[in-house]
Amino acid sequence: MKALILVGGFGTRLRPLTLSMPKPLVDFANKPMILHQIKALKDVGVTEVILAINYRPEVMLNFLKDFENQLGIKITCSQETEPMGTAGPLALARDKLIDGSGEPFFVLNSDVISEYPFSQLIQFHKSHGGEATIVVTKVDEPSKYGVVVMEEETGKVERFVEKPKIFVGNKINAGIYLLNPSVLDRIELKPTSIEKEIFPKIASDQKLFAMVLPGFWMDIGQPRDYITGLRLYLDSLRKNSPSKLAKGTHIVGNVLVHESAIIGEGCLIGPDVAVGPGCVVDPGVRLSRCTVMRGVRIKKHACITSSIIGWHSTVGQWARIENMTILGEDVHVGDEVYSNGGVVLPHKEIKSSILKPEIVM
C-alpha cells in the first residue's frame, strides 16, 4: 500500500518554529510531527510514503533519509511548482500512487495528530465497497467547521455543510482518507480542493463513506492547538503505553522526558509537558503545559507554563514564561525576565520583559 501526506507550504501559523525547519519536522512529543504518521502507516503495511510539498523538499528528504532506513519504508517527494490545493497534489503524484495493484491508498493532512486507526479504516473501506472513505471526528462547536452529514448506520455520506448556522450534525472531516485509485480519474491537474470539489461529487454518486474516529483528534498547525494536542496525545499514551511516561515525586500528571535530558533537584514538572533530548533543567524549575525542545537549558527556579521553547534556547534564572509564549530556535531569555505571550524570532536575546503578547523581531 501507498500513502500521500499533504505537506503543503510554509507553516506560517507555527512561526517562529517554522522559520528554522519545515512544519512537519517540528517536534511534537519529542519527535517530528510527520514521523508519528509515517510510523503508524508503516505499522499497517504501507511500503511507500509520498510527501506532497511546495517548499524546501531537499530539507525534508535529507532529514527523512535516516528514518527511511530505520523504519524500512520508502519516502519520496512530489513537488508542486504552484500551490495545488488539497486534490491537485493527488493528480500530480498519480504515477507514484498507481502501481497496478488496484489497492486503495491513504491521504493525510500533515498537521493531524490522533491514534491513527488505519487498520480499522482499511477493514471499513473494504466492507462498504464504495470508492472513498473519510475519517470524521466529533466536535463540540461544529459551526466553526465543514460538517459531514452521514447515515449513522452505514456511514454513507449524504452531503457537506460549510460552517452551518443551524445544527445539522457534529462530525467534521478529520483530514485522513482511504481512496480507491479510481478517485484519481475525477481529479484534474490544476489547483483543486478535495473537500469542496471532489468529495461532494463522490457523495452524490453514493460512493463516499465516513468512519467516526475512535479516540482523540487535533489539528496541531497553530500554537494553542499544538499545546492542546500534546495534552490529548499524553492522555492517550497514559491509556495505551503508560511505561513511556516519566515517573517520580517531581512529576505531576502526564509528562514525557527524553532519556538524555537532565532534570535537577526540587523541580516540579507537569502536567502535560514534553522535555526533549539533551535538555538541562536546573534545580527548582517549574514546568506545566509546555514543550521544551531539543538542547534547551532552563536555569534555576524558572517557571514555564502554556508555552513552546524552541531548540537550543536558554531561559534564565527566576524567569517566568507564560500565556502562549513561543521562543524560536536559539533564543536566550535573561534572568528574571517575564514573557506574557511573546513570540520571539530565532537567534534573539531577550533582556527586558514582554508584558503583553507581541512579536519580537
Side-chain angles (χ1 to χ4, degrees), residues 313-324:
S313 292
T314 313
V315 175
Q317 300 185 38
W318 297 100
R320 186 179 179 94
I321 308 279
E322 62 187 32
N323 190 21
M324 282 300 138

Side-chain angles (χ1 to χ4, degrees), residues 215-290:
F216 78 99
W217 176 87
M218 201 71 216
D219 176 329
I220 54 173
Q222 49 195 3
R224 200 167 290 280
D225 296 338
Y226 175 106
I227 294 287
T228 303
L230 182 65
R231 172 174 63 78
L232 298 171
Y233 175 83
L234 294 175
D235 277 349
S236 145
L237 266 192
R238 168 72 66 202
K239 285 204 275 293
N240 301 320
S241 347
S243 60
K244 292 183 179 169
L245 294 171
K247 300 176 191 66
T249 51
H250 61 298
I251 300 290
V252 182
N254 300 333
V255 173
L256 199 59
V257 176
H258 192 271
E259 59 206 19
S260 63
I262 298 167
I263 309 280
E265 293 287 306
C267 289
L268 197 54
I269 314 277
D272 308 323
V273 171
V275 179
C279 290
V280 177
V281 179
D282 285 357
V285 165
R286 175 78 179 98
L287 304 177
S288 66
R289 294 185 301 282
C290 64

Side-chain angles (χ1 to χ4, degrees), residues 63-290:
F63 182 90
L64 291 166
K65 275 285 166 270
D66 302 344
F67 292 103
E68 226 181 8
N69 303 331
Q70 270 179 37
L71 294 170
I73 189 168
K74 187 176 172 192
I75 302 171
T76 57
C77 270
S78 169
Q79 191 182 1
E80 309 161 28
T81 48
E82 57 166 338
M84 297 286 281
T86 47
L90 277 71
L92 194 62
R94 183 189 177 101
D95 295 345
K96 292 185 170 172
L97 288 168
I98 289 192
D99 55 7
S101 68
E103 282 288 313
F105 57 88
F106 290 97
V107 177
L108 279 74
N109 286 349
S110 69
D111 297 350
V112 167
I113 198 92
S114 76
E115 286 171 14
Y116 306 123
F118 294 148
S119 50
Q120 285 155 274
L121 181 55
I122 294 168
Q123 277 176 318
F124 176 69
H125 183 77
K126 293 193 166 159
S127 72
H128 65 61
E131 199 175 347
T133 305
I134 65 177
V135 175
V136 295
T137 185
K138 293 177 181 171
V139 290
D140 295 336
E141 284 186 61
S143 61
K144 295 197 307 198
Y145 303 93
V147 171
V148 180
V149 182
M150 57 190 266
E151 286 177 11
E152 291 299 320
E153 301 299 302
T154 61
K156 186 183 282 182
V157 175
E158 294 167 5
R159 61 199 166 99
F160 295 86
V161 183
E162 197 54 42
K163 298 187 176 158
K165 295 280 185 289
I166 55 165
F167 185 85
V168 291
N170 65 345
K171 296 178 192 74
I172 65 162
N173 178 347
I176 299 170
Y177 320 126
L178 189 57
L179 312 177
N180 286 354
S182 58
V183 171
L184 294 170
D185 299 333
R186 296 173 177 268
I187 304 170
E188 291 175 49
L189 186 54
K190 61 173 204 232
T192 317
S193 161
I194 199 165
E195 302 85 357
K196 296 191 170 108
E197 297 172 65
I198 307 302
F199 286 155
K201 284 182 188 154
I202 305 176
S204 68
D205 292 345
Q206 314 265 310
K207 289 184 178 172
L208 182 64
F209 289 78
M211 181 182 104
V212 179
L213 184 76
F216 78 99
W217 176 87
M218 201 71 216
D219 176 329
I220 54 173
Q222 49 195 3
R224 200 167 290 280
D225 296 338
Y226 175 106
I227 294 287
T228 303
L230 182 65
R231 172 174 63 78
L232 298 171
Y233 175 83
L234 294 175
D235 277 349
S236 145
L237 266 192
R238 168 72 66 202
K239 285 204 275 293
N240 301 320
S241 347
S243 60
K244 292 183 179 169
L245 294 171
K247 300 176 191 66
T249 51
H250 61 298
I251 300 290
V252 182
N254 300 333
V255 173
L256 199 59
V257 176
H258 192 271
E259 59 206 19
S260 63
I262 298 167
I263 309 280
E265 293 287 306
C267 289
L268 197 54
I269 314 277
D272 308 323
V273 171
V275 179
C279 290
V280 177
V281 179
D282 285 357
V285 165
R286 175 78 179 98
L287 304 177
S288 66
R289 294 185 301 282
C290 64

